[in-house]
């Protein structure tokens, strides 16, 4: 079996940086601007603008990463929803720290976040759960996320059974809900020529956000 050789693949960067406006005092306005640009980009070129890679680690420090969808963001941080008993859920219970990467390399951009993670309130989870399509609600109930299962039919049968059990409203599963990553570090990366990329890091010190340029 042969595969394309990645060692010779390179792209030329240099489209933009935040220097046009100068960095903002807080990471949030810059992220809001970049996220809006990402949404526009995906509307044109396809893709899920709110997809992000979430890295967690277990109590022994072994990391794992997976894609989740951003479902809320403001100056407090990033919200995503998942099964609290999944691998990531268990890891976050044991070690409530995470890192998130938005890999927007087709726009020559990347944003990374790091910081503590907490569960959102059950009210907030219930509100979001109620807004999901019925199929997704039943899917959340039917899946013991990250457990080994015998076959696809196992979850499909469970799904059908739950569909009959709740002909109208589907309640919020007690094992499902949101997490909020409250970043204490946010880094913006913009591709520039000759690998002299721009990196701008925000880090929280007491109540203030410090921003610094990092070597590429
Ligand atoms: C585009 C995309 C979006 C996803 N969004 C979510 C999500 O919002 N929540 C979630 O629990 N899993 C989501 N998943 C599935 C996760 O990547 C992962 O398979 C699952 O959460 C189990 O991860 P874990 O075993 O590490 O806990 C998504 C996968 C993809 C490819």
């Amino acid at each position: 079996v042969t595969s394309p050789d990645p060692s010779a693949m390179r792209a030329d960067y240099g489209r933009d940086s935040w220097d046009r406006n100068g960095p903002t005092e807080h990471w949030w306005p810059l992220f809001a601007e970049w996220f809006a640009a990402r949404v526009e980009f995906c509307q044109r070129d396809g893709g899920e603008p709110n997809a992000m890679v979430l890295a967690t680690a277990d109590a022994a420090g072994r990391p794992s990463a997976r894609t989740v969808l951003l479902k809320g963001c403001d100056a407090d941080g990033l919200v995503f929803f998942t099964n609290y008993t999944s691998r990531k859920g268990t890891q976050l219970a044991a070690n409530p720290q995470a890192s998130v990467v938005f890999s927007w390399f087709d726009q020559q951009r990347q944003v990374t976040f790091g910081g503590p993670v907490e569960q959102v309130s059950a009210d907030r989870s219930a509100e979001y759960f109620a807004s999901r399509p019925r199929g997704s609600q039943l899917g959340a109930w039917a899946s013991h996320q990250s457990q080994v299962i015998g076959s696809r039919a196992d979850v499909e049968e469970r799904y059908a059974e739950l569909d009959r059990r709740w002909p109208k409203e589907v309640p919020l599963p007690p094992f499902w809900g949101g997490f909020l990553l409250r970043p204490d570090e946010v880094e913006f990366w913009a591709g520039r020529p000759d690998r002299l990329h721009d990196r701008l890091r925000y880090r929280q010190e007491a109540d203030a956000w410090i921003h610094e340029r990092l070597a590429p």
Side-chain angles (χ1 to χ4, degrees):
V1 180
T2 58
S3 83
D5 172 13
S7 72
M9 296 176 184
R10 47 184 67 85
D12 275 325
Y13 293 145
R15 236 183 253 159
D16 73 338
S17 72
W18 53 82
D19 286 346
R20 282 169 297 140
N21 308 318
T24 51
E25 288 304 311
H26 191 281
W27 61 270
W28 167 243
L30 186 54
F31 183 72
E33 183 193 318
W34 280 29
F35 185 56
R38 184 65 187 169
V39 170
E40 217 173 89
F41 180 90
C42 289
Q43 276 164 354
R44 212 174 38 239
D45 292 28
E48 297 199 59
N50 54 333
M52 59 190 196
V53 173
L54 167 78
T56 55
D58 65 18
R62 182 188 164 94
S64 62
R66 78 292 287 153
T67 309
V68 293
L69 295 176
L70 177 72
K71 286 294 175 177
C73 62
D74 57 25
D76 285 341
L78 311 176
V79 173
F80 57 93
F81 290 89
T82 193
N83 184 311
Y84 287 142
T85 65
S86 64
R87 178 177 56 163
K88 76 183 91 47
T90 319
Q91 292 188 348
L92 286 171
N95 178 10
Q97 300 276 337
S99 172
V100 156
V101 186
F102 290 93
S103 302
W104 296 336
F105 28 76
D106 43 11
Q107 288 178 283
Q108 307 175 1
R109 285 178 170 178
Q110 168 183 264
V111 191
T112 52
F113 291 79
V117 176
E118 61 199 60
Q119 289 190 4
V120 305
S121 69
D123 282 352
R124 179 152 187 195
S125 293
E127 190 187 336
Y128 173 67
F129 189 78
S131 78
R132 302 181 88 204
R134 178 178 171 82
S136 309
Q137 294 176 335
L138 290 167
W141 269 104
S143 166
H144 300 296
Q145 195 177 53
S146 314
Q147 300 298 307
V148 175
I149 54 172
S151 72
R152 187 176 172 85
D154 292 355
V155 261
E156 285 174 350
E157 273 161 30
R158 197 168 141 71
Y159 181 100
E161 181 195 313
L162 294 161
D163 193 21
R164 289 189 296 273
R165 190 191 303 174
W166 294 304
K168 290 193 184 127
E169 253 175 51
V170 182
L172 173 72
F175 52 80
W176 190 96
F179 281 110
L180 167 66
L181 167 63
R182 281 189 193 276
D184 50 25
E185 195 175 296
V186 182
E187 187 197 313
F188 295 83
W189 183 102
R192 302 298 302 275
D194 302 322
R195 299 298 183 260
L196 299 179
H197 312 302
D198 282 328
R199 295 178 64 193
L200 176 64
R201 181 183 65 191
Y202 287 82
R203 66 184 165 82
Q204 200 171 26
E205 218 177 75
D207 282 344
W209 282 93
I210 316 275
H211 53 74
E212 298 154 314
R213 182 178 272 273
L214 302 182

